Amino acid sequence: MRLAPNLRSLLLAPSSIIFVVLFLLPVGYFFVLSFWRVRAYQLRPDLTFDQYITVVTDYAQSIAYTFGIAFAIAVVTTTIAFAYAYFCRFKAGRFGLVFLFVAIVTLFGGYLTKIYMWKTILGSGGILNSAFMILELIDTPITAFLFSPIAVIITLTHYTLPLAVLPIYGSLRGITDTPLQAARDLGASQTRVFFNIVLPQTRIGLITSFSLTFLFAAGDYVTPLLVGGPHTSMIGLFIQSQFGHRLNVPLGSAMSFSVVVCCLLVITVVALLINRVTRPR
């Protein structure tokens, strides 16, 4: 039964109001502020592009470094998530949902809990160094594990992995057994079935998983602060500093929108690349 246009609009009104009030208005407000100035810790409504020029001249290197780390996290996480989702869908049999449930349950562990867990594991007195010393592989603890880009990549990969598994598994669930069996009956190898049937139908899941992990990693500042150390200066730390310590809201807003635009460009390029790679051969 089709709903009347007026009734449909009425049903959509609450969600539309929430979307406008909680998302569009704050985003629009900070976008306008990104063209203002701060003088004597007071906002001045001057229309200027100085904040964006400052972002390009002073923070371009930090943005590039952040995107390098975020890209590595997104690629590693999406690859592991695909392997895990593929195992749950095609290899685990009736226990597939159990393994999927295990992945979902890890989301309830808490963000800071996982950060401090890896901080404990990778620290000088952590499990990893202790195991190496017991096995007599090292004489002194390795300090390079913690407060490094590797620690950030490991921690954020662990946290975002369940988020990446769900979209890919959803795409794999849409693949029925009929075309797979038909392809095998016609003599197609496992590799050809994978690249011509399975991979093309997981395109949306791969793009979604990459986008979620990339956006989360690019905007995070807590993980670099706690496990990244002084040599892991990601852009999120500078944005947090502008809003929290320097009280330069226009510059912080300009930095945020610059990161958002760059993220959309990267995701667009990666989506086009995934579409090209996953075409049936």
Side-chain angles (χ1 to χ4, degrees), residues 65-238:
Y65 179 80
T66 299
F67 281 7
I69 297 290
F71 186 82
I73 293 170
V75 170
V76 172
T77 304
T78 304
T79 302
I80 298 174
F82 180 84
Y84 189 86
Y86 186 88
F87 170 78
C88 292
R89 173 64 179 87
F90 295 110
K91 301 298 182 181
R94 60 180 180 178
F95 296 104
L97 292 178
V98 176
F99 284 102
L100 183 66
F101 179 75
V102 171
I104 296 175
V105 166
T106 60
L107 287 172
F108 298 96
Y111 176 46
L112 290 176
T113 303
K114 293 182 179 180
I115 292 177
Y116 281 106
M117 179 193 72
W118 280 108
K119 192 173 182 180
T120 302
I121 293 173
L122 300 174
S124 298
I127 299 173
L128 198 59
N129 273 307
S130 299
F132 286 163
M133 294 184 71
I134 291 173
L135 296 174
E136 298 183 353
L137 298 177
I138 57 175
D139 297 325
T140 57
I142 299 175
T143 58
F145 288 149
L146 192 60
F147 302 126
S148 66
I150 298 299
V152 175
I153 292 174
I154 292 174
T155 304
L156 285 178
T157 297
H158 179 214
Y159 180 75
T160 57
L161 185 58
L163 300 175
V165 167
L166 293 177
I168 297 176
Y169 183 80
S171 297
L172 292 173
R173 287 287 296 178
I175 303 175
T176 60
D177 295 333
T178 302
L180 301 179
Q181 293 174 356
R184 295 191 189 103
D185 291 341
L186 292 172
S189 63
Q190 286 281 50
T191 303
R192 192 161 186 179
V193 170
F194 176 80
F195 283 103
N196 285 355
I197 299 178
V198 177
L199 199 58
Q201 296 193 54
T202 58
R203 184 182 301 124
I204 300 300
L206 290 171
I207 294 174
T208 303
S209 296
F210 180 90
S211 301
L212 284 174
T213 52
F214 183 80
L215 289 172
F216 189 90
D220 185 43
Y221 71 92
V222 178
T223 303
L225 179 66
L226 295 179
V227 302
H231 302 294
T232 311
S233 300
M234 296 176 69
I235 192 64
L237 293 170
F238 294 107

